[in-house]
Amino acid sequence: MTEAPESAGPNGGAHTRYTPGTPCWVSLMVHDMAATQAFYEELFGWEFQPGPAQLGPYVRALLDGQEVAGIGRLPPDRHLPVAWTPYLASDDVDLTAETVRLCGGTVGVGPLEAGDAGRLAICSDPSGAVFGVWQAAAHLGTGITGAPGTPAWNELLTHETAAVAKFYETVFGYEEKRAASFGPDEVTLCLDGRPVAGVRGAGNALPRDRGPHWLTYFEVVDTEEAAERVTGLGGQVLVPAHDGAHGRTATVTDPEGARFALIQGSC
């Protein structure tokens, strides 16, 4: 389980340009940026620097000097869910956005320029799950993976996988992989045989307050210890630490309710 480009090393490596369709960035829009930055600084050891001014109040999180994620402020008049959003790489965001529309998805924002960093769109698939599309210029995306505090995996939680997996395959050219070791309705999306993201059908177990959504997993050294820190910092544990197919995981929220997962021993 990995979303790193071929140039990434197992202990955290810098990246070149991401292959189209690969999750290349994660971003979080919140109400209180200062409190959110303090939470993730304590949890993952992130530092922060200003991001593109065109995006409004926005910072990029750094780990060992490498960019790993973005945090921005929601407009006060926008009552949107606070959620981590993965961005999928594209060589032509305008063409990708048009393909999203043709395949039954929605383009909610853009395509638009983010200064000299690149060009983006924010979309939703036919089930309503939100994702971003990123066409890199100066900013290639996540600069390091495979180290604690970095994104390790992105998984779409939806009602059932068949139709929505076909949407992503058509838009981004993924190959679909199903295996007996997966759950009864789980799919891995691959590029050139390399796994880049997952789709899991949760049926009626999907949280009613969220609906279909993408879940980002962050690498940690010890899942239990990290989950304990989450609660100590004002977050919540939704699913306690347990062993899964890819490592020991827990699902948690930050103080504003953004869901994410912790994973120990991802590969």
Side-chain angles (χ1 to χ4, degrees):
M1 182 172 75
T2 180
E3 60 178 31
E6 291 82 348
S7 59
N11 297 316
H15 298 318
T16 55
R17 187 171 296 273
Y18 282 80
T19 302
T22 307
C24 63
W25 187 245
V26 289
S27 191
L28 175 65
M29 301 298 288
V30 299
H31 299 287
D32 188 335
M33 285 184 63
T36 299
Q37 288 174 238
F39 171 85
Y40 287 101
E41 180 180 5
E42 287 295 323
L43 181 62
F44 292 138
W46 290 350
E47 299 176 336
F48 299 92
Q49 69 179 18
Q54 291 85 352
L55 301 178
Y58 189 83
V59 295
R60 290 178 181 157
L62 306 178
L63 194 65
D64 296 330
Q66 298 286 336
E67 297 173 344
V68 294
I71 298 174
R73 191 172 70 205
L74 283 167
D77 57 339
R78 299 292 296 275
H79 301 287
L80 300 173
V82 177
W84 281 102
T85 300
Y87 282 73
L88 308 177
S90 171
D91 284 340
D92 186 337
V93 69
D94 294 82
L95 178 60
T96 300
E98 184 59 28
T99 307
V100 165
R101 292 189 186 98
L102 291 172
C103 293
T106 302
V107 179
V109 176
L112 56 83
E113 299 290 339
D116 63 356
R119 189 164 171 80
L120 67 88
I122 299 176
C123 309
S124 57
D125 65 30
S127 76
V130 176
F131 63 95
V133 181
W134 182 253
Q135 180 181 336
H139 174 63
L140 299 179
T142 302
I144 182 173
T145 57
T150 64
W153 185 245
N154 287 282
E155 180 179 65
L156 173 62
L157 302 179
T158 189
H159 294 291
E160 56 84 26
T161 64
V164 75
K166 184 59 64 179
F167 165 83
Y168 286 98
E169 290 166 25
T170 304
V171 175
F172 294 103
Y174 298 130
E175 307 122 27
E176 184 178 308
K177 179 180 178 182
R178 296 178 184 264
S181 59
F182 298 166
D185 192 20
E186 293 189 35
V187 178
T188 297
L189 302 176
C190 301
L191 290 170
D192 299 322
R194 181 173 55 93
V196 295
V199 183
R200 176 154 56 96
N204 293 330
L206 197 67
R208 292 184 181 179
D209 63 328
R210 296 300 299 176
H213 62 281
W214 281 91
L215 182 71
T216 297
Y217 289 69
F218 291 94
E219 184 88 27
V220 295
V221 174
D222 184 310
T223 303
E224 276 89 352
E225 188 272 336
E228 191 172 307
R229 266 191 290 149
V230 165
T231 57
L233 293 168
Q236 288 184 293
V237 175
L238 301 179
V239 180
H242 62 284
D243 291 323
H246 304 293
R248 191 156 181 79
T249 67
T251 304
V252 300
T253 72
D254 67 20
E256 286 206 20
R259 295 172 187 244
F260 60 100
L262 308 167
I263 185 161
Q264 170 188 340
S266 64
C267 57

